[in-house]
Amino acid sequence: MKQTQISVWDGNKRRILDFAHRELSDLPFSGEINEIIEQNIREPIKSVDIIITAIQGPKLVGYMCVGRKETVGSIVSTLIMNEPERGSIVSEMVRECYRELVKQSPLEVIEFKSICFGKEDYISRPLISLGFMVQPQVEMIWTKGELPQVSNIDGITISPWREEFENEASQVIATSDLGDLEIVKELPEREPRYRWLLEQKEASGGKVDGSVSFMALRGNRLAGAVLAIDRGEYGEILALGCMPIPKSAEIMAKLVHSSLSGFIKKEVKTIRTTVPMFKGEEIRIFNNLGLVQAFFKPDAILLASDDAWSSLSEKVASSTP
């Protein structure tokens, strides 16, 4: 491994911003997607107080931006050059983030909120090895193009969101949280998802937008649902689910198609969704309908009550001069 110096940056932020600009210049996406990635990567650099850098000789190869609010530390922007050792660099930089955060006052949580762009998620694995609870996700974005046709499904009716089925919708969404399981032996607890659904409804002004949110009905029973919201600057598909029944993939595809069509009719130019990486079927559906995988979101957290916290603390203490 090349000799890499991990330390707190005390120089001008201009060099960090220039580094980010160079690394972002080769992105293969359209203007809108590039702007979203650049905003997620560059904007935190301007506002945080702590930046951890990785330097090899005279060369800057990566950075992490760290913020803090009360007892919660947040890694909000990360960018490391594509090189064989960058997994190790991620681990060392996270340790340095921890070291700097606990210097100030007691800490209860470290969360990883930065995106990760490129051909692979090079951040989740190092975080897992450090003991973080990680749910790798992928951000998918639609900006333009013609929607492919999706056939109707015999026995299934696609309806705008219906309030009387919201209880069942929370069960459908909770079931989808299990991912690509061939057999669901025991239905998951729906209550947390029902509370979440009501929170999203409240955020939408107390009513789900039936022009972009839809339900799939089999007779008088709910088979699937898609929940979406118009956020003004962009549209977002928040949740997609189908009960484990025949043609569930086709039903989900029809639901997503209906939601995308609704956004297009509203002249929403950018549509986004975040999908856990273990939901391979959903990722394929979104891909087939024109959404591209723009970047990864490791979505990780480490609690002071976890055993891994003590282990991280010991490693940092043993490596501190």
Side-chain angles (χ1 to χ4, degrees):
M1 178 178 176
K2 298 176 183 177
Q3 188 66 34
T4 305
Q5 180 185 350
I6 309 294
S7 61
V8 178
W9 181 254
D10 58 3
N12 194 313
K13 288 184 178 181
R14 184 75 257 167
R15 186 179 175 190
I16 308 294
L17 287 164
D18 288 345
F19 169 77
H21 178 73
R22 287 194 303 273
E23 290 299 304
L24 292 167
S25 63
D26 293 331
L27 290 175
F29 303 118
S30 66
E32 293 92 338
I33 297 178
N34 283 0
E35 287 175 12
I36 292 169
I37 295 175
E38 187 159 336
Q39 183 178 17
N40 275 272
I41 289 290
R42 288 170 55 89
E43 290 306 311
I45 299 173
K46 302 173 184 178
S47 58
V48 297
D49 295 324
I50 301 173
I51 300 178
I52 307 299
T53 56
I55 297 176
Q56 294 175 351
K59 185 178 181 182
L60 177 66
V61 298
Y63 70 84
M64 280 186 181
C65 293
V66 189
R68 180 179 181 130
K69 186 174 182 180
E70 298 177 350
T71 60
V72 178
S74 300
I75 299 171
V76 293
S77 179
T78 299
L79 183 53
I80 299 169
M81 290 180 64
N82 185 7
E83 62 148 74
E85 304 294 342
R86 66 178 174 178
S88 299
I89 293 173
V90 169
S91 297
E92 291 302 319
M93 293 180 80
V94 171
R95 292 189 183 102
E96 189 64 26
C97 290
Y98 174 87
R99 180 183 288 111
E100 288 302 312
L101 286 166
V102 297
K103 276 183 183 178
Q104 300 177 11
S105 60
L107 198 66
E108 295 181 357
V109 180
I110 298 177
E111 56 184 11
F112 196 97
K113 293 297 184 183
S114 173
I115 70 170
C116 171
F117 77 87
K119 293 182 179 180
E120 63 178 5
D121 176 3
Y122 62 87
I123 290 174
S124 289
R125 186 172 295 177
L127 292 179
I128 291 170
S129 69
L130 290 170
F132 279 75
M133 294 178 285
V134 183
Q135 186 185 54
Q137 301 174 327
V138 62
E139 184 85 356
M140 306 188 72
I141 301 177
W142 184 94
T143 56
K144 60 183 178 180
E146 203 168 304
L147 279 181
Q149 293 297 314
V150 176
S151 301
N152 294 328
I153 303 123
D154 290 341
I156 298 293
T157 301
I158 303 298
S159 165
W161 191 271
R162 291 169 59 174
E163 194 169 295
E164 66 266 30
F165 286 107
E166 283 180 357
N167 274 325
E168 290 87 345
S170 63
Q171 180 70 73
V172 166
I173 295 169
T175 300
S176 78
D177 290 341
L178 297 173
D180 298 339
L181 298 181
E182 293 183 3
I183 300 174
V184 179
K185 295 181 179 179
E186 183 176 337
L187 291 178
E189 176 58 49
R190 70 167 183 84
E191 186 60 32
R193 269 307 194 178
Y194 185 60
R195 291 196 301 270
W196 173 86
L197 192 154
L198 293 180
E199 288 169 4
Q200 302 308 314
K201 185 176 177 180
E202 186 67 25
S204 302
K207 185 178 180 182
V208 174
D209 185 351
S211 68
V212 293
S213 299
F214 293 87
M215 292 179 168
L217 303 175
R218 187 169 59 168
N220 62 352
R221 301 290 298 274
L222 185 74
V226 60
L227 179 68
I229 185 171
D230 184 350
R231 298 197 181 278
E233 294 183 358
Y234 63 92
E236 184 175 6
I237 295 178
L238 298 170
L240 171 68
C242 186
M243 294 302 288
I245 58 176
K247 297 189 176 181
S248 59
E250 289 91 336
I251 293 170
M252 288 194 292
K254 190 66 178 178
L255 286 165
V256 173
H257 185 274
S258 300
S259 185
L260 293 174
S261 298
F263 279 123
I264 291 170
K265 287 177 183 176
K266 290 163 68 80
E267 299 186 345
V268 175
K269 299 187 185 305
T270 303
I271 306 163
R272 303 169 62 172
T273 190
T274 304
V275 188
M277 289 296 292
F278 67 83
K279 293 188 178 183
E281 189 67 65
E282 285 191 26
I283 292 173
R284 284 190 290 274
I285 288 168
F286 285 115
N287 263 326
N288 291 340
L289 288 171
L291 283 83
V292 300
Q293 297 186 36
F295 51 82
F296 301 98
K297 298 174 74 173
D299 193 26
I301 189 170
L302 181 64
L303 305 177
S305 57
D306 295 339
D307 292 340
W309 186 281
S310 299
S311 176
L312 178 59
S313 178
E314 290 169 4
K315 288 178 182 177
V316 169
S318 64
S319 63
T320 301

